[in-house]
């Protein structure tokens, strides 16, 4: 199937209280793991790229392997650019065939965030590309964006309503207490605020910083309006651990294709598990 944007898949998810997994890929092998996991689970899926990964491989290389893998897939699939502050890179991804982008101007003052996010929506709409925008500051490290705990602040519900009414994003990422990377201690999620923002903005919510949350927290966030769940750090671990574990168990073998296959299986198993947890299995 050709790639599609996130709009229909997130609206379906929000209306049916499940979430679509957005998995950050690193290379061809991890993309293949996302695509095959989604097919096996018969789930809609979002292939997500960090800005860093796009810069590392180049947009042309990524779009070619994504299109090749998705062509034979039978489930709805979007290609989404995660946290991006650079309008030129956003434009490049839109022109290269990404079907969805995130503008992260959350470190800017409110009015500036609003203006930049609106500009990206205007850039994306004519190309049928969906847009995710962020409000508030999500703690942790995502790509080269470092947010210290003392700088993190939750999205304000009144500002969230104004922001969504003016920007009209297809997906909204308000900071509600989750963190990027690995949690230090127990996450304090502002469920009341999440529920209020989801109900009042009526925009499908993206849950960032999913790695390390326990199953019950995912389920609660999804029941309160999170229709997209981002999984990045978990895949970074599976990518390295899958590789290392195979080599440690067969340390005289030096057969790279077997190592790559072991890495693929480790990634795919973790992705299927999350798809089932988010309730999107069987929803393609
Ligand atoms: Zn994020």
């Amino acid at each position: 199937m050709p790639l599609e944007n996130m709009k229909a898949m997130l609206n379906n998810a929000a209306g049916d209280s499940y979430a679509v997994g957005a998995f950050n890929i690193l290379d061809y092998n991890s993309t293949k793991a996302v695509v095959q996991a989604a097919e096996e689970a018969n789930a809609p899926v979002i292939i997500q790229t960090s800005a860093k990964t796009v810069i590392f491989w180049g947009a042309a290389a990524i779009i070619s392997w994504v299109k090749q893998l998705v062509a034979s897939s039978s489930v709805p699939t979007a290609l989404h650019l995660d946290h991006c502050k650079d309008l030129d890179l956003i434009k490049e991804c839109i022109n290269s065939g990404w079907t969805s982008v995130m503008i992260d101007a959350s470190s800017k003052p409110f009015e500036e965030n609003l203006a930049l996010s609106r500009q990206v929506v205007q850039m994306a709409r004519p190309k049928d590309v969906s847009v995710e925008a962020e409000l508030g500051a999500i703690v942790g490290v995502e790509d080269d964006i470092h947010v210290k705990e003392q700088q993190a602040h939750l999205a304000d519900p009144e500002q969230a309503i104004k922001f969504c009414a003016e920007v009209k994003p297809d997906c909204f990422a308000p900071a509600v207490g989750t963190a990027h990377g690995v949690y230090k201690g127990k996450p304090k999620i502002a469920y009341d605020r999440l529920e209020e923002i989801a109900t009042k903005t009526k925009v499908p919510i993206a849950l960032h910083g999913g790695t390390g949350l326990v199953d019950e927290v995912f389920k609660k966030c999804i029941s309160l309006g999170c229709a997209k769940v981002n999984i990045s750090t978990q895949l970074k671990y599976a990518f390295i651990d899958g590789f290392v574990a195979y080599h440690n168990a067969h340390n005289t073998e030096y057969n790279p294709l077997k190592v790559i296959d072991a890495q693929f299986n480790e990634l795919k198993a973790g992705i299927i598990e999350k798809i089932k947890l988010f309730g999107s299995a069987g929803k393609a």
Side-chain angles (χ1 to χ4, degrees):
M1 288 221 302
L3 287 165
E4 59 179 77
N5 68 32
M6 303 197 305
K7 214 179 157 107
M9 61 174 85
L10 294 189
N11 285 335
N12 291 341
D16 199 7
S17 291
Y18 64 90
V20 181
F23 301 97
N24 282 52
I25 56 122
L26 298 150
D27 64 351
Y28 180 85
N29 202 31
S30 46
T31 311
K32 190 174 127 191
V34 174
V35 172
Q36 289 200 6
E39 272 235 273
E40 276 186 38
N42 194 29
V45 77
I46 298 159
I47 298 169
Q48 195 156 269
T49 59
S50 72
K52 225 183 197 170
T53 304
V54 178
I55 292 162
F56 185 88
W57 294 108
I62 294 178
I63 195 75
S64 74
W65 80 59
V66 166
K67 280 193 170 163
Q68 185 255 317
L69 285 164
V70 169
S72 55
S73 164
S74 57
V75 298
T77 307
L79 176 60
H80 178 72
L81 173 66
D82 200 11
H83 294 276
C84 191
K85 304 193 270 193
D86 177 359
L87 293 201
D88 289 336
L89 188 63
I90 290 176
K91 193 182 272 176
E92 190 188 341
C93 285
I94 291 174
N95 290 335
S96 300
W98 266 247
T99 55
S100 191
V101 293
M102 175 179 187
I103 165 71
D104 180 355
S106 62
S107 63
K108 309 268 189 213
F110 180 75
E111 292 298 335
E112 216 176 311
N113 182 0
L114 200 118
L116 281 167
S117 300
R118 201 158 40 191
Q119 199 181 333
V120 170
V121 169
Q122 281 162 1
M123 210 154 67
R125 286 280 189 268
K127 298 257 188 181
D128 200 27
V129 167
S130 52
V131 176
E132 176 178 344
E134 175 170 331
L135 184 66
I138 299 169
V139 70
V141 181
E142 181 77 27
D143 243 16
D144 286 331
I145 305 170
H146 297 249
V147 179
K148 293 205 178 76
E149 248 163 280
Q150 58 269 34
Q151 297 165 332
H153 55 92
L154 301 182
D156 170 71
E158 291 312 310
Q159 281 195 337
I161 295 164
K162 183 170 191 255
F163 186 86
C164 288
E166 294 193 20
V167 174
K168 298 188 176 66
D170 305 290
C171 180
F172 183 45
V176 290
T178 57
H180 288 132
V182 176
Y183 285 93
K184 295 188 203 100
K186 207 169 178 252
K188 291 182 214 74
I189 298 172
Y191 293 112
D192 291 355
R193 197 177 294 232
L194 168 59
E195 185 174 25
E196 186 182 357
I197 291 173
T199 312
K200 290 186 176 166
T201 61
K202 297 186 178 66
V203 178
I205 302 292
L207 182 68
H208 284 246
T211 301
L213 296 179
V214 298
D215 292 1
E216 295 320 307
V217 174
F218 278 119
K219 285 183 182 163
K220 184 153 186 188
C221 290
I222 293 167
S223 77
L224 296 177
C226 288
K228 170 178 184 265
V229 180
N230 290 3
I231 298 293
S232 173
T233 306
Q234 179 191 326
L235 299 190
K236 291 180 189 166
Y237 278 71
F239 191 87
I240 308 268
D241 292 345
F243 203 102
V244 170
Y246 186 88
H247 183 64
N248 285 343
H250 309 82
N251 60 5
T252 55
E253 202 176 74
Y254 288 91
N255 186 335
L257 294 179
K258 282 195 175 174
V259 185
I260 289 169
D261 202 40
Q263 184 191 50
F264 168 81
N265 287 323
E266 179 86 11
L267 286 162
K268 193 181 78 172
I271 295 163
I272 290 179
E273 204 176 285
K274 283 291 182 282
I275 287 175
K276 288 182 178 163
L277 175 64
F278 302 159
S280 56
K283 302 287 187 181

